[in-house]
Amino acid sequence: AALDILLKHASHKFSVVTTPAETAELHALSAGFKAIASWHVINTLQTVRECCGGQGYRAMNRIANLKADTDIFATFEGDNTVLMQQVTRFLLSVYQRMSKEGRFSGPLAYMEGTGPRFPSLQNPSLLRDSAFYASAFA
């Protein structure tokens, strides 16, 4: 259900993209969606295979064939790890822009009023402070 909602949102975004900022957001959204969806398929098939016990290896039930076909999803059209790094880079750039503006907007507007205020990304000691992270996730 969550993946369906994300797919519908990405499809809508694709139809209305007009600016470079929207293009960057769509790229991050699609990169993250591809990685999450392919990891979900791979993990689901592995769980199905394990739940079937020894029968999970029989060619008759096609689980082995599906698993062989889907394992490649994690690497073709961009390795999932690299795709998630692209998402992280996008989110950090948005965070940096928001720290200058002092408020959340764009794809992170839903976070307005939540969590700690913006620390300076130029302050490495804060980024190493465990108290900051504890307050961020409290």
Side-chain angles (χ1 to χ4, degrees):
L3 293 177
D4 289 332
I5 293 169
L6 181 57
L7 181 59
K8 287 177 185 173
H9 178 69
S11 297
H12 171 71
K13 278 290 212 190
F14 184 74
S15 67
V16 296
V17 168
T18 58
T19 67
E22 290 173 334
T23 302
E25 181 181 348
L26 179 62
H27 173 75
L29 187 64
S30 61
F33 178 74
K34 186 264 180 188
I36 289 169
S38 62
W39 278 327
H40 178 68
V41 168
I42 291 165
N43 291 336
T44 300
L45 284 171
Q46 182 63 30
T47 301
V48 167
R49 175 183 261 181
E50 290 170 6
C51 288
C52 292
Q55 297 296 321
Y57 290 94
R58 292 188 65 183
M60 182 188 313
N61 66 26
R62 298 191 56 225
I63 295 172
N65 293 343
L66 288 171
K67 188 153 175 39
D69 288 345
T70 58
D71 279 343
I72 192 66
F73 289 171
T75 52
F76 74 81
E77 294 181 12
D79 181 75
N80 283 359
T81 304
V82 174
L83 292 174
M84 292 309 286
Q85 288 172 346
Q86 291 174 355
V87 172
T88 303
R89 181 178 179 208
F90 169 76
L91 291 174
L92 286 173
S93 70
V94 170
Y95 183 82
Q96 186 175 27
R97 187 176 70 241
M98 298 301 120
S99 67
K100 290 177 185 171
E101 295 175 5
R103 63 182 184 81
F104 287 104
S105 63
L108 299 180
Y110 72 94
M111 294 178 62
E112 186 64 39
T114 63
R117 294 315 292 164
F118 301 98
S120 170
L121 293 178
Q122 305 301 318
N123 184 353
S125 63
L126 180 61
L127 296 176
R128 293 186 191 108
D129 182 12
S130 60
F132 167 74
Y133 293 105
S135 69
F137 298 105

